[in-house]
């Protein structure tokens, strides 16, 4: 079972949406009145993304529900490379960038962009872990290292 | 009828005259679709009054398919996706030495189809306006929602992917000040995002970006050469071919208008439907050369007439209910905000003169575009021979200028770049970009009217007659998608 480019794409969208809502609530203190609509939309979207991901996982990366169809081997290789690159970014982010951003955030209290980056990267790493669990693969194998 | 008079004032006429050649050139260039052309042109309407600005965009869009038919006939490559149905018979005629006749027929059928679309639009607008007097906040909210649900399904694509794209657009549309509380959301300390994500960088990134990448990756101009001169007598013959077949042109235009009226954005199927219904033939049937040529002319007239007629039909739900009838209309709706107009049912009541002016602009653009293309078809096709290494940077510079002209902010350029990546991924994996744009455009409207509805009526709003019908339609459509999804899932081993 391979991690496809599409699953990475919609996974990243889902994570970004969730991160945006969480950050807006946590860092900017927005409540239900302001965030109810986007939170509801984000929840619906993530539910649909999970539905689509389940389809992708079940068909081993094939497109069960129409659309773009199968990629050729060259683009599959490119997507594999992209997947590995995303994974590498996530690992680097978790181990190096995250503490650096947290430090920067502490120095410039309330800097929303730093919080958003930190949380996005954390969520990205988390989703990679979830993907690994879903696909029964370890992080190194997702990265194409083993 | 002040709208009709407005359409003929000097400013609007000038806007139409400027828009038509740009649209024709956009249509001639394979890869530059109607939406891409609109995306590139929107920044050039800043500072214009609403009617001239919208007339400029609409007239450029109205003749895209007319220009695209010439590329389809001469090179066998559709200038715009909707011209694909013309390739089969149009290019066969060109190879047989009837290029001029095919172009004459295609351009005339396109123009007449566009005029038919205009007639349908003018006839329907008063009817739609009468319906709108019964529409309140709940119905506006539900109509916008219905538009999104319809938009999720483009012919052949997965509705689930369409709904994901539409909800992503809704979410992106929530960036910036919330209309009811004036509290900024999702701006993360970036001042430029306080006013939300700009439509121009978004549309440029989503549509122009991937189109430019595709053109750059092709990296060569077309291989075939068109005839140096097209016999004008043949062009006239082609024009007469259409005039001799009035019922064919009208029936094809009816197909186009009918498909265009249906809310949603599957308008590109109209020419294929018209072709299949009116010009389809059985495989392997033999015919003499003369009969074959006549059959092929029918195969050019049917799709081209429906192609332009669908835009008139598509304007009905777009202007009447704020629900786009074609993919390009979602971008046109988005541009309303630039002119301080709110898409939705109020538009036709508050700005009837603009709606009527736009209908006349559609008619004028089709007439002028047809005449221009009949005279200049061959010289214009030489544009196609511009090498990609010249064409792509030129369009890129044009697009960058447009993005930067909005607020002079580099953030907009970054947004355009980011959405080029998103757009490319959406193209690759089959996610609907027009549904995304529609969600983005309708997001503030849906949120605002939902809040008003819940604040005044509460959940009981679904019991209002029109609201109830709209709710049933939405649920019926969603149930259809679910059934489609489950059916496809079961069939997959």
């Amino acid at each position: 079972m391979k991690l496809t480019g599409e699953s990475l794409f919609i996974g990243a969208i889902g994570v970004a949406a969730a991160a945006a809502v969480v950050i807006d609530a946590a860092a900017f203190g927005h409540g239900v009145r302001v965030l109810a609509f986007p939170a509801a939309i984000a929840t619906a979207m993530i539910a649909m993304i999970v539905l689509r991901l389940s389809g992708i996982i079940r068909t081993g990366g094939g497109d069960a529900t129409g659309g773009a169809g199968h990629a050729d081997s060259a683009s599959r290789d490119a997507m594999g490379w992209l997947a590995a690159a995303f994974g590498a970014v996530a690992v680097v982010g978790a181990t190096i960038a995250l503490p650096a951003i947290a430090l920067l955030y502490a120095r410039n209290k309330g800097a929303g962009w730093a919080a958003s980056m930190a949380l996005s990267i954390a969520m990205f790493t988390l989703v990679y872990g979830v993907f690994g669990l879903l696909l029964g693969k370890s992080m190194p194998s997702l990265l194409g290292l083993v | 009828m002040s709208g009709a008079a407005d359409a003929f004032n000097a400013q609007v006429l000038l806007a139409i005259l400027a828009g038509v050649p740009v649209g024709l050139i956009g249509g001639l260039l394979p890869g530059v679709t109607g939406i891409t052309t609109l995306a590139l042109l929107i920044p050039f309407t800043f500072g214009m009054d609403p009617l001239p600005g919208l007339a400029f965009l609409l007239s450029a869009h109205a003749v895209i398919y007319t220009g695209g038919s010439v590329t389809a006939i001469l090179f066998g490559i559709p200038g715009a996706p909707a011209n694909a149905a013309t390739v089969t018979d149009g290019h066969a005629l060109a190879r047989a030495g009837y290029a001029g006749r095919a172009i004459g027929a295609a351009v005339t059928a396109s123009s007449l189809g566009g005029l038919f679309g205009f007639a349908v639009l003018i006839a329907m607008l008063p009817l739609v306006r009468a319906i709108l007097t019964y529409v309140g906040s709940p119905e506006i909210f539900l109509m916008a929602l219905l538009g999104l649900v319809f938009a999720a399904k483009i012919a052949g694509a997965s509705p689930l992917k369409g709904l994901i794209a539409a909800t992503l657009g809704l979410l992106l549309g929530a960036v910036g000040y919330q209309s009811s509380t004036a509290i900024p959301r999702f701006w993360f300390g970036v001042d430029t995002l306080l006013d939300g994500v700009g439509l121009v960088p978004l549309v440029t990134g989503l549509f122009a970006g991937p189109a430019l990448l595709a053109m750059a990756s092709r990296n060569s101009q077309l291989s075939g050469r068109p005839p140096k001169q097209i016999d004008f007598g043949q062009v006239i013959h082609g024009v007469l071919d259409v005039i001799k077949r009035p019922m064919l042109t009208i029936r094809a235009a009816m197909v186009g208008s009918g498909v265009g009226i249906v809310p949603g954005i599957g308008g590109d199927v109209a020419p294929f439907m018209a072709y299949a219904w009116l010009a389809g033939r059985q495989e392997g049937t033999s015919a003499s050369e003369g009969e074959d040529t006549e059959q092929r002319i029918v195969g050019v007239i049917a799709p081209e007439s429906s192609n332009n007629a669908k835009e008139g039909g598509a304007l009905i739900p777009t202007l009447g209910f704020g629900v786009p009838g074609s993919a390009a209309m979602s971008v046109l709706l988005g541009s309303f905000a630039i002119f301080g107009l709110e898409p939705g049912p109020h538009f036709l009541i508050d700005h009837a003169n603009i709606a009527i002016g736009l209908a006349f602009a559609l008619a004028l653009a089709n007439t002028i575009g047809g005449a221009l293309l009949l005279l200049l078809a061959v010289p214009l096709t030489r544009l196609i021979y511009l090498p990609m290494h010249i064409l792509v940077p030129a369009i890129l510079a044009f697009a960058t200028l447009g993005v930067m002209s909005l607020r002079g902010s580099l953030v907009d350029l970054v947004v355009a770049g980011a959405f080029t990546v998103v757009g490319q991924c959406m193209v690759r994996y089959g996610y609907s970009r027009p549904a995304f744009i529609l969600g983005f455009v309708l997001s503030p409207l849906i949120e605002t009217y939902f809040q008003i509805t819940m604040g005044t009526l509460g959940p009981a709003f679904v019991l209002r007659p029109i609201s109830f019908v709209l709710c049933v339609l939405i649920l019926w459509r969603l149930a259809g998608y679910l059934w489609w999804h489950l059916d496809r899932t079961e069939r997959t081993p």
Side-chain angles (χ1 to χ4, degrees):
Chain A
M1 200 179 288
K2 270 195 168 183
L3 191 66
T4 66
E6 186 189 345
S7 57
L8 271 174
F9 172 58
I10 54 174
I13 284 175
V15 169
V21 175
V22 170
I23 291 164
D24 220 46
F28 292 87
H30 291 152
V32 174
R33 197 172 166 210
V34 175
L35 288 180
F37 174 74
I41 296 294
T43 308
M45 187 178 77
I46 290 168
M48 286 189 287
I49 286 174
V50 169
L51 193 64
R52 177 74 196 123
L53 283 174
S54 69
I56 293 172
I57 290 168
R58 194 166 23 78
T59 56
D63 194 343
T65 53
H70 295 278
D72 56 23
S73 63
S75 50
R76 268 196 222 110
D77 289 346
M79 282 303 148
W81 180 86
L82 197 65
F86 268 120
V89 169
V91 171
V92 170
T95 54
I96 302 166
L98 208 56
I101 293 168
L103 188 72
L104 214 73
Y105 181 61
R107 284 193 177 175
N108 307 281
K109 266 190 282 182
W113 63 269
S116 73
M117 277 182 73
L119 263 165
S120 299
I121 293 169
M123 293 289 275
F124 209 106
T125 315
L126 183 73
V127 92
Y128 237 83
V130 173
F131 262 115
L133 283 175
L134 278 173
L135 300 173
K137 299 222 168 189
S138 64
M139 184 70 89
S141 71
L142 280 176
L143 294 174
L145 298 175
V146 291
Chain B
M1 287 303 281
S2 72
D6 289 346
F8 290 98
N9 81 31
Q11 221 184 350
V12 178
L13 283 175
L14 207 63
I16 295 170
L17 285 173
V20 166
V22 179
L24 287 176
I25 291 169
L28 282 165
L29 297 172
V32 181
T33 61
I35 300 183
T36 308
T37 309
L38 276 182
L40 291 170
L41 292 182
I42 286 173
F44 295 89
T45 60
F46 294 155
M48 283 190 189
D49 287 335
L51 184 55
L54 287 170
F56 174 67
L57 295 176
L58 185 65
S59 54
H61 173 68
V63 298
I64 285 275
Y65 305 112
T66 315
S69 66
V70 175
T71 318
I73 290 165
L74 290 180
F75 305 99
I77 298 169
N83 293 114
T86 312
V87 169
T88 314
D89 288 328
H91 191 50
L93 282 168
R95 283 201 309 267
Y98 298 108
R101 192 173 163 189
I103 288 173
V107 172
T108 311
S110 286
S111 299
L112 291 179
L115 290 175
F116 184 88
F118 155 76
V120 171
L121 175 62
I122 284 292
M124 294 288 281
L125 280 182
L127 187 70
V128 173
R129 201 156 184 252
I131 294 170
L132 292 179
T133 53
Y134 299 101
V135 165
S137 299
E139 288 79 20
I140 296 174
F141 158 68
L142 288 169
M143 272 181 196
L145 209 58
L146 183 70
L148 267 190
V149 173
F150 268 93
K153 178 80 178 84
I154 298 177
S158 152
L160 181 63
K161 290 180 177 183
L163 286 173
I164 291 173
T167 46
L168 180 62
L170 280 174
L171 209 54
L172 197 74
V175 174
Y177 289 109
Q178 187 188 23
S179 56
S180 56
T181 61
I183 295 172
R185 297 176 294 200
F186 309 125
W187 65 295
F188 305 122
V190 180
D191 292 345
T192 313
L193 294 181
L194 280 171
D195 288 328
V197 176
L199 177 77
V200 173
L202 178 66
V203 174
T204 306
L206 277 180
F207 293 97
L212 286 173
L213 283 174
M215 287 165 79
S217 64
R218 202 159 57 223
N219 198 30
S220 63
Q221 68 262 52
L222 300 171
S223 54
R225 281 266 170 196
K228 282 185 179 162
Q229 201 62 48
I230 287 178
D231 180 7
F232 201 71
Q234 260 200 30
V235 175
I236 298 294
H237 194 167
V239 174
L240 292 174
D241 279 330
V242 180
I243 294 168
K244 277 191 295 187
R245 297 173 172 86
M247 287 319 291
L248 171 69
T249 312
I250 290 171
R251 282 159 73 191
M254 281 168 68
V255 172
S257 297
V259 172
I261 289 172
V262 177
I265 40 183
D268 280 355
V269 299
F272 292 96
M273 284 173 69
Y275 183 84
W277 182 42
L278 299 165
R281 72 190 83 179
Q282 288 183 334
E283 287 289 326
T285 49
S286 58
S288 68
E289 194 190 327
E291 285 172 351
D292 190 53
T293 305
E294 294 301 317
Q295 278 182 350
R296 289 199 183 281
I297 284 290
V298 171
V300 169
I301 295 171
E304 284 307 317
S305 175
S306 69
N307 236 344
N308 283 32
K310 79 175 163 35
E311 296 308 322
L315 269 173
I316 295 168
T318 309
L319 298 177
F321 305 110
V323 176
S326 74
M329 290 302 155
S330 58
V331 178
L332 195 75
L333 265 185
S335 70
F336 276 34
I338 292 169
F339 303 104
L341 304 169
E342 188 188 72
H346 284 310
F347 178 79
L348 201 55
I349 292 167
D350 298 339
H351 306 286
N353 60 327
I354 294 181
I356 294 167
L358 284 177
F360 277 92
L362 184 75
L364 280 174
N366 273 294
T367 312
I368 296 168
L372 203 63
L373 201 57
L374 283 176
L375 293 172
L376 300 173
V378 172
L380 280 174
T381 53
R382 300 218 169 98
L383 279 172
I384 299 171
Y385 290 100
L386 276 174
M388 290 298 167
H389 65 262
I390 292 174
L391 201 57
V392 172
I395 297 177
L396 188 64
F398 197 66
T400 309
L401 187 73
V403 170
M404 290 295 286
S405 67
L406 180 67
R407 297 183 273 207
S409 167
L410 275 174
V411 174
D412 283 335
L413 212 54
V414 173
V415 168
F419 279 100
T420 298
V421 176
V422 173
Q424 187 63 25
C425 287
M426 292 181 90
V427 170
R428 179 176 284 272
Y429 304 121
Y431 287 81
S432 165
R433 291 172 295 166
F436 181 8
I437 289 291
L438 187 61
F440 176 77
V441 170
L442 293 180
S443 180
L445 188 122
I446 288 177
E447 184 181 9
T448 305
Y449 283 100
F450 178 68
Q451 284 179 341
I452 294 172
T453 301
M454 292 306 282
T456 52
L457 298 168
F461 76 89
V462 294
L463 299 175
R464 286 161 63 104
I466 298 178
S467 295
F468 184 75
V469 172
L470 290 169
C471 281
V472 169
L473 278 173
I474 291 168
L475 291 174
W476 165 72
R477 196 70 179 159
L478 286 174
Y481 291 165
L482 189 66
W483 180 84
W484 187 91
H485 182 78
L486 292 174
D487 186 52
R488 290 289 293 253
T489 307
E490 269 176 23
R491 279 191 214 172
T492 309

